[in-house]
């Protein structure tokens, strides 16, 4: 497997192109792109509160002929808010986005908290293939009760008992500084090594600053959706899905069993457990992730 060696610098350039579309209801949905405009389109659903600024695999994107597109979810970055939005509502937004931008043969990537958003799109038939990378699972499922850290179980219980109050409380964590510290605190050695690279840390922090620019409401809504039951059945997904997890991933809100249960729920899933990797696989293992995603 081709991966970036430990300690090697990881480049995270800003998007080559930025723009926005105007949806039928008047909302603005902002995007950033890397790679050739005529490349194979790959839509990234980024992690918690990271804006369209944070791409991945810059060299691999160019080498493999990928047109990487990242979209700010509503209320994050430069996208307009959509109060009360849902995972299936996000899939409807992406369907409209795809039509407005004339994309065909679209493939998807869902990283970390972006995974359920990407899976909702796959369930809606919007992707020809999907990669879930260090994705959160349906944490509210009873099957995970014994596996979740106490603090995460508390969040899922709050979301179920009083979603309005839970969403309001999640907004209290809504700053780039607080969230970055939470990410760093939950990281194992391989991920801390990446976060300690000045250029990578600067790009990651800048993406979070952009994500929180409109305020914490977008992040709070995303977190509520991530801590709640999914309004779709992943079993309906018919396209190939690659699940990528690092065995050394210690992030408390990623899949507690490294995608094992999720692999049984998606008939088309292929699970990759990388023994020497953490949760930042999107940057340390971009080439194998993209190569699998480009398979016919």
């Amino acid at each position: 497997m081709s991966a970036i060696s430990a300690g090697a610098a990881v480049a995270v350039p800003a998007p080559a192109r930025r723009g926005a579309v105007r949806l039928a209801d008047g909302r603005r949905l902002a995007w950033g792109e890397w790679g050739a405009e005529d490349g194979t389109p790959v839509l990234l659903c980024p992690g918690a509160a990271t804006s369209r600024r944070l791409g991945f695999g810059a060299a691999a994107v160019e080498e493999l002929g990928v047109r990487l597109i990242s979209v700010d979810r509503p209320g994050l970055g430069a996208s307009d808010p959509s109060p009360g939005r849902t995972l299936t509502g996000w899939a409807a937004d992406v369907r409209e986005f795809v039509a407005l931008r004339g994309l065909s043969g679209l493939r998807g990537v869902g990283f970390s908290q972006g995974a359920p958003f990407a899976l909702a799109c796959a369930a809606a038939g919007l992707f020809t293939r999907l990669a879930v990378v260090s994705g959160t699972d349906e944490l509210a499922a009873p099957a995970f009760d014994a596996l979740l850290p106490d603090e995460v179980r508390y969040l899922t219980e709050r979301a179920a008992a009083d979603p309005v109050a839970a969403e309001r409380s999640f907004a209290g964590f809504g700053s780039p500084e607080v969230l970055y510290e939470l990410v760093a605190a939950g990281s194992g050695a391989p991920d801390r090594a990446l976060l300690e690279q000045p250029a990578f840390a600067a790009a990651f922090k800048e993406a979070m600053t952009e994500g929180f620019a409109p305020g914490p409401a977008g992040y709070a809504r995303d977190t509520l959706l991530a801590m709640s039951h999914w309004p779709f059945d992943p079993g309906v997904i018919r396209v190939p899905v690659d699940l990528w997890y690092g065995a050394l991933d210690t992030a408390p809100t990623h899949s507690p069993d490294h995608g094992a249960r999720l692999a049984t729920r998606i008939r088309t899933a292929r699970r990759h457990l990388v023994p020497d990797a953490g949760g930042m696989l999107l940057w340390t293992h971009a080439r194998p992730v993209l190569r699998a995603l480009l398979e016919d």
Side-chain angles (χ1 to χ4, degrees):
M1 178 178 292
S2 175
I4 292 175
S5 60
V10 175
V12 191
R17 300 172 294 278
R18 298 192 196 214
V21 299
R22 189 70 66 177
L23 302 179
D25 64 4
R27 285 184 295 119
R28 169 185 162 99
L29 207 61
W31 54 267
E33 285 189 0
W34 299 257
E37 291 187 74
D38 60 353
T40 302
V42 172
L43 187 136
L44 169 64
C45 293
T50 49
S51 72
R52 57 183 172 158
R53 189 258 177 260
L54 195 66
F56 72 96
V61 163
E62 295 291 345
E63 172 192 318
L64 299 173
V66 168
R67 177 186 179 185
L68 180 65
I69 308 163
S70 183
V71 181
D72 286 342
R73 291 189 286 274
L76 293 165
S79 287
D80 291 334
S82 178
R85 60 187 169 89
T86 64
L87 292 175
T88 51
W90 169 246
D93 283 354
V94 171
R95 185 181 300 281
E96 194 172 350
F97 177 84
V98 167
L100 288 168
R101 301 218 57 212
L103 302 173
S104 62
L106 184 66
R107 294 153 200 253
V109 176
F111 173 69
S112 187
Q113 196 177 89
F117 294 90
L119 286 163
C121 291
L126 301 179
F127 297 144
T128 61
R129 192 175 193 114
L130 173 64
V132 169
V133 184
S134 305
T136 189
D137 206 324
E138 190 174 9
L139 301 178
F144 287 138
D145 282 350
L147 297 178
L148 294 178
D150 290 343
E151 64 272 20
V152 177
R153 187 184 308 106
Y154 171 74
L155 297 179
T156 63
E157 290 171 351
R158 285 209 69 183
D162 190 340
V164 174
E167 185 172 358
R168 191 163 51 242
S169 72
F170 296 154
F173 296 97
S175 79
E177 296 79 15
V178 170
L179 186 57
Y180 186 85
E181 289 305 317
L182 286 173
V183 170
S187 295
D191 296 329
R192 283 199 304 273
L194 185 57
L195 290 169
E196 287 168 1
Q197 292 187 14
F200 183 85
F204 204 83
K205 289 176 180 178
E206 183 180 347
M208 284 187 172
T209 299
E210 286 187 4
F212 278 113
Y219 164 75
R221 187 66 187 179
D222 270 11
T223 303
L224 177 68
L225 298 179
M227 295 297 161
S228 303
H229 286 287
W230 294 349
F232 63 91
D233 177 7
V236 306
I237 296 173
R238 293 291 179 265
V239 298
V241 178
D242 285 284
L243 305 174
W244 292 88
Y245 289 90
L248 304 181
D249 183 3
T250 58
T253 55
H254 291 174
S255 172
D257 63 2
H258 295 143
R261 179 174 180 268
L262 188 56
T264 68
R265 301 182 70 193
I266 303 173
R267 303 176 202 177
T268 55
R270 179 171 61 174
R271 180 172 172 253
H272 311 261
L273 186 62
V274 185
D276 58 348
M280 294 295 189
L281 282 170
L282 201 59
W283 294 277
T284 62
H285 290 69
R287 274 188 177 80
V289 168
L290 286 172
R291 284 187 180 129
L293 192 62
L294 295 175
E295 290 178 10
D296 293 329

